[in-house]
Amino acid sequence: DAGITQSPRHKVTETGTPVTLRCHQTENHRYMYWYRQDPGHGLRLIHYSYGVKDTDKGEVSDGYSVSRSKTEDFLLTLESATSSQTSVYFCAISEGQGLGYGYTFGSGTRLTVV
Amino acid sequence: DAKTTQPPSMDCAEGRAANLPCNHSTISGNEYVYWYRQIHSQGPQYIIHGLKNNETNEMASLIITEDRKSSTLILPHATLRDTAVYYCIGAYAGNNRKLIWGLGTSLAVNP
């Protein structure tokens, strides 16, 4: 999607290794989110950020950490990847808090932990 | 936030109207109904939202019942490119933490 990019698009990693996913935006939006999507589940919020160095946990934050040192970048780190973290990860941005401001999603990162 | 119920799948013929229902019987007076769709392997895309009144934009129309317990998303002339999973979400406009996306309705538009 225009204005938001995720990298890498695909990654295979081994159990126990650290992994960092990057979300980059050019919209200067205050809010950024990380979601995961798994078969049989809807999108689930991992972490979100409401400004530089301001982050908070979502409903499935265990095993994940995030950082936001610049407005445009929101990093998701799996400190020690597990097979249960195999998923598709989506980043989203919004100008304000909540769906009232509209979410724009990235194209996703497909992560496989073997 | 309100939990929504959608049929898991629907079919529609190309060129016909696609009417996607959503039940949200527990929605509160200040919760909006949002519709997003997700085309295969892509991130979800905003379609439309509403509170009480019917809404229309270039993509779709949203019809909300008077009691606000259900709504229908209408794609007036479905094309093959409208094949996607459609999500109906009930949420307060300013709430970003307790959004319940659900599994949506998988719409197949057939030639």
Side-chain angles (χ1 to χ4, degrees):
Chain A
D1 284 285
I4 178 171
T5 55
Q6 292 184 232
S7 60
R9 291 296 312 277
H10 301 272
K11 186 171 182 66
V12 179
T13 191
E14 294 187 349
T15 299
T17 61
V19 178
T20 295
L21 309 183
R22 181 184 184 229
C23 178
H24 178 78
Q25 61 147 329
T26 58
E27 304 296 323
N28 201 37
H29 284 349
R30 179 180 176 188
Y31 289 83
M32 300 185 75
Y33 312 84
W34 277 107
Y35 282 88
R36 62 178 289 174
Q37 187 172 39
D38 305 289
H41 293 274
L43 285 167
R44 293 181 291 175
L45 181 64
I46 304 171
H47 281 279
Y48 71 99
S49 170
Y50 47 97
V52 173
K53 298 186 180 180
D54 291 324
T55 64
D56 205 349
K57 296 179 179 179
E59 62 179 306
V60 290
S61 60
D62 288 347
Y64 302 94
S65 63
V66 291
S67 65
R68 191 166 178 203
S69 58
K70 299 184 292 185
T71 298
E72 57 266 35
D73 289 325
F74 192 32
L75 304 180
L76 177 71
T77 298
L78 291 66
E79 301 291 347
S80 178
T82 67
S83 59
S84 65
Q85 294 175 312
T86 292
S87 187
V88 180
Y89 291 86
F90 288 100
C91 176
I93 61 175
S94 66
E95 193 170 4
Q97 179 171 319
L99 279 181
Y101 290 87
Y103 281 19
T104 300
F105 283 85
S107 298
T109 295
R110 183 172 296 275
L111 177 67
T112 303
V113 183
V114 298
Chain B
D1 285 301
K3 183 174 181 179
T4 59
T5 304
Q6 300 177 253
S9 63
M10 295 182 63
D11 288 293
C12 177
E14 187 178 19
R16 296 295 187 102
N19 298 296
L20 291 90
C22 178
N23 286 317
H24 33 77
S25 57
T26 61
I27 199 169
S28 71
N30 294 326
E31 288 186 288
Y32 286 75
V33 178
Y34 297 89
W35 283 84
Y36 278 69
R37 74 179 183 183
Q38 186 173 23
I39 297 171
H40 180 63
S41 297
Q42 299 179 21
Q45 173 192 24
Y46 169 79
I47 301 173
I48 199 168
H49 74 282
L51 183 62
K52 296 180 181 178
N53 300 320
N54 298 337
E55 303 287 345
T56 295
N57 64 19
E58 65 278 3
M59 291 182 68
S61 294
L62 175 61
I63 308 298
I64 302 174
T65 59
E66 193 169 341
D67 62 8
R68 300 204 338 114
K69 293 186 183 301
S70 66
S71 61
T72 300
L73 178 75
I74 301 172
L75 309 178
H77 305 286
T79 71
L80 299 179
R81 295 170 69 175
D82 291 321
T83 293
V85 176
Y86 288 77
Y87 299 97
C88 169
I89 305 159
Y92 294 103
N95 189 329
N96 61 10
R97 297 190 61 182
K98 295 184 178 180
L99 300 176
I100 301 174
W101 284 82
L103 297 178
T105 294
S106 179
L107 175 68
V109 180
N110 304 309

